Amino acid sequence: MRVTICLSSLILLAACGSEEGGGRQPGVATNIVDRALPDRMDAEPTSNAIQTAEAPPAVDAPPPPYAPTGLIPASLQGRWTGVDDRCGDRAADLELTIEPENFVFHESVGAVQSVTQGEEGGVRVTAAFTGEGQSWTRTLDLRPSADGGRLTIVNDGIATTRKRC
């Protein structure tokens, strides 16, 4: 029964046609909005309308103490390795290169997704990692030492300290 009603409705709609002239029934509007709304003109402002003299001045908000940029700060970029490792030893397990938008570890690479202010003067970086046929996302807390010579990276509650090369 439903199929018959639906087919009947479709046949009636097809018979009405969609083009001007041929196939249309006289007096039937296919676009009711065009027929329902008269041509309108914008009204002239009244004599008591409020007129603004000038645009309000632009006010610059003070910048936040740390402005997230999506990039790892330059002070943390560079080559790092384990505290007991020799700089330049590419086989060192803790060897790491930090670029503005990437972490390059010994066997994985992390593309930075976001950088925000972290605890103790550090930054919190969320990155999408790939390596050894797998993909994962991690949020790392990077905490530099006062002199910038050491970097502690906290990953899932485990802290690893590296020295700058």
Side-chain angles (χ1 to χ4, degrees):
M1 182 72 169
R2 280 187 167 165
V3 173
T4 305
I5 292 172
C6 288
L7 286 175
S8 298
S9 298
L10 287 174
I11 291 170
L12 286 173
L13 285 173
C16 290
S18 62
E19 301 211 9
E20 285 291 326
R24 275 189 76 201
Q25 294 178 350
V28 175
T30 57
N31 188 347
I32 295 174
V33 173
D34 287 343
R35 295 282 177 111
L37 296 176
D39 291 336
R40 61 179 199 133
M41 296 177 58
D42 292 332
E44 294 292 323
T46 60
S47 62
N48 64 349
I50 297 174
Q51 300 289 327
T52 55
E54 59 187 51
V59 178
D60 293 333
Y66 175 81
T69 62
L71 301 176
I72 297 175
S75 62
L76 300 177
Q77 295 174 28
R79 298 207 40 225
W80 302 86
T81 194
V83 175
D84 296 328
D85 293 336
R86 184 177 53 85
C87 284
D89 181 5
R90 297 247 184 223
D93 289 337
L94 295 179
E95 202 250 343
L96 166 65
T97 300
I98 298 179
E99 300 171 344
E101 298 177 346
N102 293 299
F103 290 103
V104 182
F105 286 94
H106 181 65
E107 295 179 343
S108 63
V109 175
V112 173
Q113 295 178 327
S114 68
V115 179
T116 57
Q117 185 173 8
E119 298 175 7
E120 301 173 21
V123 294
R124 176 167 281 180
V125 180
T126 301
F129 288 91
T130 58
E132 299 181 351
Q134 297 182 353
S135 299
W136 64 97
T137 301
R138 286 281 189 271
T139 299
L140 307 174
D141 288 313
L142 283 65
R143 299 179 188 152
S145 63
D147 67 358
R150 308 262 173 163
L151 177 64
T152 301
I153 299 177
V154 181
N155 177 14
D156 288 336
I158 300 171
T160 304
T161 301
R162 292 173 168 83
K163 66 182 177 185
R164 183 181 291 278
C165 291

PDB file of all heavy atoms in Angstrom, residues 50-63:
ATOM      1  N   ILE A  50      19.555  56.393  15.701  1.00  0.00           N
ATOM      2  CA  ILE A  50      20.851  56.617  16.338  1.00  0.00           C
ATOM      3  C   ILE A  50      21.946  56.485  15.279  1.00  0.00           C
ATOM      4  O   ILE A  50      22.006  55.501  14.551  1.00  0.00           O
ATOM      5  CB  ILE A  50      21.098  55.596  17.473  1.00  0.00           C
ATOM      6  CG1 ILE A  50      20.040  55.791  18.555  1.00  0.00           C
ATOM      7  CG2 ILE A  50      22.505  55.710  18.027  1.00  0.00           C
ATOM      8  CD1 ILE A  50      20.101  54.742  19.640  1.00  0.00           C
ATOM      9  N   GLN A  51      22.786  57.471  15.208  1.00  0.00           N
ATOM     10  CA  GLN A  51      23.903  57.470  14.276  1.00  0.00           C
ATOM     11  C   GLN A  51      25.195  57.432  15.085  1.00  0.00           C
ATOM     12  O   GLN A  51      25.373  58.211  16.009  1.00  0.00           O
ATOM     13  CB  GLN A  51      23.888  58.739  13.409  1.00  0.00           C
ATOM     14  CG  GLN A  51      22.641  58.911  12.580  1.00  0.00           C
ATOM     15  CD  GLN A  51      22.582  57.917  11.441  1.00  0.00           C
ATOM     16  OE1 GLN A  51      23.601  57.536  10.901  1.00  0.00           O
ATOM     17  NE2 GLN A  51      21.383  57.490  11.094  1.00  0.00           N
ATOM     18  N   THR A  52      26.101  56.523  14.731  1.00  0.00           N
ATOM     19  CA  THR A  52      27.379  56.479  15.431  1.00  0.00           C
ATOM     20  C   THR A  52      28.339  57.443  14.765  1.00  0.00           C
ATOM     21  O   THR A  52      28.399  57.545  13.538  1.00  0.00           O
ATOM     22  CB  THR A  52      27.978  55.061  15.415  1.00  0.00           C
ATOM     23  OG1 THR A  52      28.066  54.627  14.067  1.00  0.00           O
ATOM     24  CG2 THR A  52      27.127  54.095  16.202  1.00  0.00           C
ATOM     25  N   ALA A  53      29.092  58.175  15.574  1.00  0.00           N
ATOM     26  CA  ALA A  53      30.016  59.174  15.056  1.00  0.00           C
ATOM     27  C   ALA A  53      31.248  58.524  14.445  1.00  0.00           C
ATOM     28  O   ALA A  53      31.728  58.927  13.406  1.00  0.00           O
ATOM     29  CB  ALA A  53      30.425  60.136  16.170  1.00  0.00           C
ATOM     30  N   GLU A  54      31.787  57.520  15.114  1.00  0.00           N
ATOM     31  CA  GLU A  54      32.981  56.840  14.622  1.00  0.00           C
ATOM     32  C   GLU A  54      33.053  55.444  15.229  1.00  0.00           C
ATOM     33  O   GLU A  54      32.389  55.156  16.209  1.00  0.00           O
ATOM     34  CB  GLU A  54      34.236  57.636  14.974  1.00  0.00           C
ATOM     35  CG  GLU A  54      34.413  57.847  16.466  1.00  0.00           C
ATOM     36  CD  GLU A  54      35.556  58.780  16.789  1.00  0.00           C
ATOM     37  OE1 GLU A  54      35.615  59.878  16.216  1.00  0.00           O
ATOM     38  OE2 GLU A  54      36.380  58.388  17.618  1.00  0.00           O
ATOM     39  N   ALA A  55      33.860  54.615  14.630  1.00  0.00           N
ATOM     40  CA  ALA A  55      34.027  53.245  15.133  1.00  0.00           C
ATOM     41  C   ALA A  55      34.773  53.274  16.463  1.00  0.00           C
ATOM     42  O   ALA A  55      35.634  54.133  16.675  1.00  0.00           O
ATOM     43  CB  ALA A  55      34.799  52.413  14.115  1.00  0.00           C
ATOM     44  N   PRO A  56      34.470  52.343  17.377  1.00  0.00           N
ATOM     45  CA  PRO A  56      35.202  52.313  18.643  1.00  0.00           C
ATOM     46  C   PRO A  56      36.666  51.964  18.390  1.00  0.00           C
ATOM     47  O   PRO A  56      36.999  51.247  17.454  1.00  0.00           O
ATOM     48  CB  PRO A  56      34.501  51.203  19.441  1.00  0.00           C
ATOM     49  CG  PRO A  56      33.793  50.379  18.431  1.00  0.00           C
ATOM     50  CD  PRO A  56      33.475  51.288  17.286  1.00  0.00           C
ATOM     51  N   PRO A  57      37.563  52.499  19.214  1.00  0.00           N
ATOM     52  CA  PRO A  57      38.993  52.224  19.019  1.00  0.00           C
ATOM     53  C   PRO A  57      39.309  50.761  19.304  1.00  0.00           C
ATOM     54  O   PRO A  57      38.682  50.126  20.148  1.00  0.00           O
ATOM     55  CB  PRO A  57      39.683  53.141  20.027  1.00  0.00           C
ATOM     56  CG  PRO A  57      38.662  53.358  21.099  1.00  0.00           C
ATOM     57  CD  PRO A  57      37.331  53.332  20.386  1.00  0.00           C
ATOM     58  N   ALA A  58      40.285  50.243  18.579  1.00  0.00           N
ATOM     59  CA  ALA A  58      40.733  48.866  18.811  1.00  0.00           C
ATOM     60  C   ALA A  58      41.589  48.842  20.074  1.00  0.00           C
ATOM     61  O   ALA A  58      42.465  49.688  20.259  1.00  0.00           O
ATOM     62  CB  ALA A  58      41.536  48.371  17.623  1.00  0.00           C
ATOM     63  N   VAL A  59      41.306  47.899  20.935  1.00  0.00           N
ATOM     64  CA  VAL A  59      42.055  47.769  22.182  1.00  0.00           C
ATOM     65  C   VAL A  59      42.810  46.448  22.133  1.00  0.00           C
ATOM     66  O   VAL A  59      42.209  45.392  21.965  1.00  0.00           O
ATOM     67  CB  VAL A  59      41.105  47.792  23.405  1.00  0.00           C
ATOM     68  CG1 VAL A  59      41.882  47.596  24.685  1.00  0.00           C
ATOM     69  CG2 VAL A  59      40.314  49.081  23.425  1.00  0.00           C
ATOM     70  N   ASP A  60      44.116  46.523  22.245  1.00  0.00           N
ATOM     71  CA  ASP A  60      44.933  45.314  22.248  1.00  0.00           C
ATOM     72  C   ASP A  60      44.929  44.710  23.640  1.00  0.00           C
ATOM     73  O   ASP A  60      45.208  45.396  24.623  1.00  0.00           O
ATOM     74  CB  ASP A  60      46.377  45.626  21.837  1.00  0.00           C
ATOM     75  CG  ASP A  60      46.469  46.052  20.387  1.00  0.00           C
ATOM     76  OD1 ASP A  60      45.596  45.636  19.599  1.00  0.00           O
ATOM     77  OD2 ASP A  60      47.401  46.789  20.053  1.00  0.00           O
ATOM     78  N   ALA A  61      44.591  43.427  23.707  1.00  0.00           N
ATOM     79  CA  ALA A  61      44.636  42.715  24.986  1.00  0.00           C
ATOM     80  C   ALA A  61      46.086  42.373  25.292  1.00  0.00           C
ATOM     81  O   ALA A  61      46.875  42.106  24.384  1.00  0.00           O
ATOM     82  CB  ALA A  61      43.799  41.448  24.905  1.00  0.00           C
ATOM     83  N   PRO A  62      46.466  42.384  26.549  1.00  0.00           N
ATOM     84  CA  PRO A  62      47.843  42.024  26.867  1.00  0.00           C
ATOM     85  C   PRO A  62      48.093  40.562  26.507  1.00  0.00           C
ATOM     86  O   PRO A  62      47.204  39.723  26.644  1.00  0.00           O
ATOM     87  CB  PRO A  62      47.943  42.239  28.382  1.00  0.00           C
ATOM     88  CG  PRO A  62      46.539  42.191  28.867  1.00  0.00           C
ATOM     89  CD  PRO A  62      45.679  42.666  27.734  1.00  0.00           C
ATOM     90  N   PRO A  63      49.276  40.245  26.000  1.00  0.00           N
ATOM     91  CA  PRO A  63      49.553  38.864  25.624  1.00  0.00           C
ATOM     92  C   PRO A  63      49.622  37.974  26.857  1.00  0.00           C
ATOM     93  O   PRO A  63      49.981  38.426  27.937  1.00  0.00           O
ATOM     94  CB  PRO A  63      50.918  38.946  24.924  1.00  0.00           C
ATOM     95  CG  PRO A  63      51.550  40.174  25.488  1.00  0.00           C
ATOM     96  CD  PRO A  63      50.435  41.113  25.806  1.00  0.00           C
TER      97      PRO A  63
END
